[in-house]
Amino acid sequence: MQISDLKNLTIAIVGAGYAGAAAAKALSVLGANVTVYEQATEIREVGAGIGLRPSSMECFREWGISDDIAAVSSPSDYFEILTATGDPIMKDTWPAHGDQKHTYLVHRGDFIDTLIGVLPEGMVKCGYKLETVTDRGDKAALTFTNGTTVDADLVIGADGIKSVVRKQLFSDAEPVFSGERAYRAVIDVADAHGMVTDDNLRMYIGKGTKVYLLPLRHRDQVSFDITALCPDPDWAPQVSKDDMLATVAGFDQRIVDITAGLDMDIVNIRGVYDIDPIDRWHTDSVVLVGDAAHSMLHHQGQGANSAILDAGVLADCLRDADTVAEALAAYQAQRKPVTDELQRISRQGWTEDEVQDVFPGQKPASQQPAQ
């Protein structure tokens, strides 16, 4: 599309998370008329650390914000997988993308704050919870619970795993429980018992449990993540310190000591969910990006990176196609095969035998619908 055509498009993005903020940045670089509607009354990302892969950093370079991202992150040379007691299993460099060779480790909050901070002032509007989305062919309409209605030439659903846009227009299937629970906290490097000495991600694998240590050197902190098998599908379970300690029994004593020293008030505890791949991500005027389109388990560390690449490809397709409808079809054709495969690979966690070993007599809870 001509730049003049893009500037005349009214684009409404639902959700100001990774996918929505990245899409807003990519489209604003093209000069598009973009407004982001976020249901929260303020932007506040909780959680822990993530790794921004070389392909994502290349997007940031193209959008002119790579220095902003680098300022709140630390470059990592490689990742390492070890046994529960620290014996090496594998060690590899991050897959390079052109001149980009590092994965940048960043706190989720710093990342989203930076993405929002590089958007034009006033582009993000908070306190807009989506109630309905109506597809009118070449346009779409949004109604929010605060009474506001919005008409747009293009609606981008970036509203996450529980996406209202997806449920109303594309699939009413519920999120799927993985049979796992995640415990996440950000702690000072001084409280990591000497386990963090560089900027590289390490994962320790034990009986029914994986422990990730992701350094956040620019903060002098480390993201500490325990992912453990659990048959309880509660989205936000109540968990004790003893429950957490049980998941790391037999691990390197330093990991046990880190867990024992955690302040439970700062631990983010959640059931782990994804969605089944859906057949279609778009109409002629509405499209899904990020978790709304392809929420995946975190084992491959590709959720945020996939959202960023979605944003880049969508912007490129809008720039190159003659119409919005053609652009959305091209975007799905390019991205869906990739994310379908990532969803599949990310589900390759514990085998049925391993689940039985942890929970004798218990049928695997993995891949059961949400309750």
Side-chain angles (χ1 to χ4, degrees):
M1 299 176 70
Q2 298 294 322
I3 294 298
S4 58
D5 295 329
L6 284 170
K7 288 182 177 179
N8 289 329
L9 282 180
T10 299
I11 301 176
I13 299 177
V14 182
Y18 308 142
K25 182 58 187 178
L27 292 167
S28 67
V29 168
L30 297 179
N33 176 16
V34 180
T35 305
V36 183
Y37 298 93
E38 167 58 39
Q39 69 175 355
T41 55
E42 62 177 328
I43 304 297
R44 187 177 65 180
E45 180 70 21
V46 298
I50 57 174
L52 300 171
R53 301 293 179 87
S55 54
S56 294
M57 294 303 298
E58 178 61 19
C59 286
F60 300 144
R61 186 195 65 76
E62 292 175 0
W63 303 341
I65 62 171
S66 57
D67 288 346
D68 299 272
I69 300 298
V72 295
S73 59
S74 301
S76 170
D77 295 316
Y78 63 85
F79 62 95
E80 193 169 10
I81 301 175
L82 307 101
T83 67
T85 54
D87 294 323
I89 297 175
M90 69 163 289
K91 177 180 176 180
D92 205 353
T93 55
W94 300 102
H97 187 93
D99 293 335
Q100 302 289 338
K101 296 180 173 59
H102 294 95
T103 284
Y104 281 71
L105 307 183
V106 62
H107 187 280
R108 293 168 185 264
D110 294 340
F111 178 45
I112 197 64
D113 285 349
T114 301
L115 272 182
I116 296 296
V118 297
L119 296 179
E121 186 175 355
M123 182 174 283
V124 179
K125 297 183 180 297
C126 293
Y128 284 76
K129 183 178 182 180
L130 183 64
E131 187 169 49
T132 62
V133 53
T134 304
D135 180 8
R136 295 176 176 164
D138 61 347
K139 290 184 180 294
L142 303 173
T143 302
F144 298 93
T145 57
N146 63 9
T148 303
T149 59
V150 171
D151 292 324
D153 299 305
L154 172 60
V155 166
I156 299 175
D159 48 342
I161 189 171
K162 297 182 181 180
S163 170
V164 174
V165 179
R166 183 184 71 240
K167 190 166 186 177
Q168 292 190 6
L169 294 184
F170 300 102
S171 171
D172 61 1
E174 295 292 334
V176 177
F177 179 51
S178 69
E180 296 170 306
R181 184 176 286 171
Y183 312 89
R184 291 174 171 168
V186 174
I187 62 174
D188 292 340
V189 168
D191 295 326
H193 295 269
M195 295 199 77
V196 178
T197 58
D198 56 28
D199 293 320
N200 299 304
L201 172 67
R202 290 178 174 84
M203 178 175 71
Y204 297 77
I205 300 178
K207 182 179 177 180
T209 299
K210 298 171 183 174
V211 175
Y212 305 79
L213 285 99
L214 186 150
L216 301 168
R217 181 169 54 87
H218 55 288
R219 281 173 159 248
D220 201 27
Q221 292 181 318
V222 58
S223 178
F224 181 69
D225 181 310
I226 300 170
T227 300
L229 287 169
C230 179
D232 179 4
D234 195 330
W235 278 91
Q238 297 296 311
V239 174
S240 70
K241 177 72 69 66
D242 287 341
D243 294 329
M244 289 184 62
L245 284 168
T247 67
V248 294
F251 274 73
D252 185 308
Q253 185 59 43
R254 294 172 296 174
I255 290 175
V256 177
D257 291 340
I258 292 172
T259 306
L262 289 175
D263 176 356
M264 294 300 289
D265 289 338
I266 69 166
V267 179
N268 179 266
I269 303 167
R270 64 177 182 86
V272 180
Y273 285 78
D274 67 358
I275 63 171
D276 290 326
I278 61 175
D279 293 334
R280 189 169 173 83
W281 292 357
H282 71 92
T283 65
D284 286 349
S285 59
V286 182
V287 68
L288 301 174
V289 295
D291 282 355
H294 47 66
S295 179
M296 60 189 71
L297 303 183
H298 62 276
H299 305 309
Q300 298 296 317
Q302 288 285 5
N305 290 283
S306 293
I308 294 158
L309 296 182
D310 285 354
V313 170
L314 178 59
D316 289 347
C317 289
L318 284 165
R319 180 196 63 205
D320 297 339
D322 291 330
T323 66
V324 171
E326 288 178 11
L328 302 188
Y331 157 73
Q332 176 173 317
Q334 185 170 338
R335 290 296 298 151
K336 190 175 184 327
V338 176
T339 59
D340 280 356
E341 179 64 5
L342 285 172
Q343 285 181 293
R344 184 191 69 80
I345 293 172
S346 295
R347 282 183 167 179
Q348 293 178 345
W350 306 104
T351 67
E352 186 167 335
D353 287 343
E354 287 172 310
V355 175
Q356 291 289 326
D357 191 32
V358 177
F359 298 107
Q362 171 75 48
K363 287 187 176 182
S366 180
Q367 310 310 313
Q368 296 301 313
Q371 301 297 314

